[in-house]
Amino acid sequence: MTAHPTAPRSRRERPAKPALTREGIIATTVDLMRAEGLERVTMRRLAKELDTGPASLYVYVRNMAELHAAVLDELLGAVDLSPATADGEWRDRLVRILTSYTSVLFEHPGLAQSALVARPFGKHYLKLVEALLALLGEGGLEPDRAAWLLDLLLQFATATAAEHAHRAPGDTPQSEADWQALATVVRDVSPRTHPHIAALGPRLLSGSPQDRLAWGFDVLIAGARHTPLPEVLAPSPVDPEATQAAGG
């Protein structure tokens, strides 16, 4: 009996690829980031995973910065916002939400560093901002102070996560070596050339990231209550009304 070669499969018989969407691109990026790390996620790598060309992705996201911002917003869905409506002192509840936000970034070191410049604007970010502003209002902060303090609190939380991301369990050997090198320099510094560093010594690097984080939030909140704002707040450079008033 003669064996017949397998007939070529028509393209029409192949299953159709799922339609490319912004949501699908973001979801695939999150999966790749968790599996391989954010630094491995490129447009080319993402396009390969989605079985398309890199140019097709730019229809849905303008660049990597926008993609990172969208991924960050997706992950912000894991931030615990329940303290906003819980019982207890408003400042403690505010710090709990900010700590949850920082913890989400701790889990993704690459994203924590990217978040220093990424500007999320999705639904999860808006829910986070709304919850924080509600608590600042509950604490009696004037609207202008609350608006500026919100920016400082999120910047501090993001920078802390980016700085300490590799000091959590699972440190890479290189990051641990860098930290030990810094601790050695601080410990062995000459009191003759650097008397203030020598006097403080280990206290410069003391405390857990969690303790420093909570203390930093308290400092910012207390300072915002007593630090005056400019008498006339200039509009944002991206404020449409300001642009029109300037003849833009």
Side-chain angles (χ1 to χ4, degrees):
M1 188 176 217
T2 304
H4 296 282
T6 303
R9 186 178 180 185
S10 169
R11 290 192 176 190
R12 294 182 179 180
E13 298 175 3
R14 299 175 185 174
K17 293 188 297 184
L20 200 60
T21 64
R22 180 180 173 88
E23 292 74 17
I25 292 171
I26 295 170
T28 302
T29 304
V30 171
D31 291 341
L32 282 175
M33 180 186 69
R34 286 174 171 157
E36 303 177 9
L38 186 66
E39 65 280 357
R40 298 289 299 277
V41 181
T42 64
M43 286 297 191
R44 185 176 298 277
R45 175 71 181 87
L46 187 57
K48 181 179 179 181
E49 190 72 16
L50 291 166
D51 192 21
T52 188
S56 300
L57 303 181
Y58 290 105
V59 176
Y60 301 91
V61 288
R62 290 177 297 175
N63 48 44
M64 287 301 295
E66 182 178 317
L67 180 59
H68 286 180
V71 169
L72 174 59
D73 185 75
E74 183 70 18
L75 294 176
L76 290 183
V79 176
D80 181 13
L81 301 180
S82 62
T85 54
D87 295 328
E89 206 272 331
W90 70 271
R91 186 181 309 212
D92 292 338
R93 291 184 284 134
L94 178 71
V95 171
R96 283 165 56 193
I97 292 177
L98 289 166
T99 301
S100 177
Y101 165 79
T102 312
S103 296
V104 169
L105 295 183
F106 258 100
E107 296 176 7
H108 306 284
L111 189 62
Q113 295 164 1
S114 176
L116 290 171
V117 294
R119 297 184 181 277
F121 48 83
K123 61 180 181 180
H124 296 304
Y125 177 74
L126 293 179
K127 287 180 180 179
L128 170 64
V129 169
E130 182 68 20
L132 296 176
L133 288 176
L135 286 171
L136 291 173
E138 185 179 328
L141 270 80
E142 301 169 6
D144 288 337
R145 290 177 187 266
W148 282 28
L149 176 58
L150 170 75
D151 189 42
L152 290 176
L153 291 171
L154 290 176
Q155 283 187 39
F156 174 66
T158 303
T160 300
E163 178 187 5
H164 295 285
H166 290 299
R167 294 180 57 197
D171 277 349
T172 64
Q174 184 58 49
S175 63
E176 181 62 24
D178 291 343
W179 180 255
Q180 291 300 329
L182 174 61
T184 299
V185 169
V186 170
R187 182 194 64 206
D188 297 340
V189 71
S190 169
R192 181 178 61 82
T193 56
H194 302 85
H196 295 93
I197 296 177
L200 290 176
R203 281 178 287 182
L204 288 170
L205 305 177
S206 63
S208 68
Q210 292 76 14
D211 288 340
R212 281 181 171 258
L213 184 69
W215 187 79
F217 289 142
D218 287 340
V219 168
L220 291 172
I221 295 168
R225 284 184 171 280
H226 303 291
T227 304
L229 288 171
E231 292 186 7
V232 179
L233 295 182
S236 165
V238 296
D239 187 337
E241 294 184 1
T243 301
Q244 293 174 4

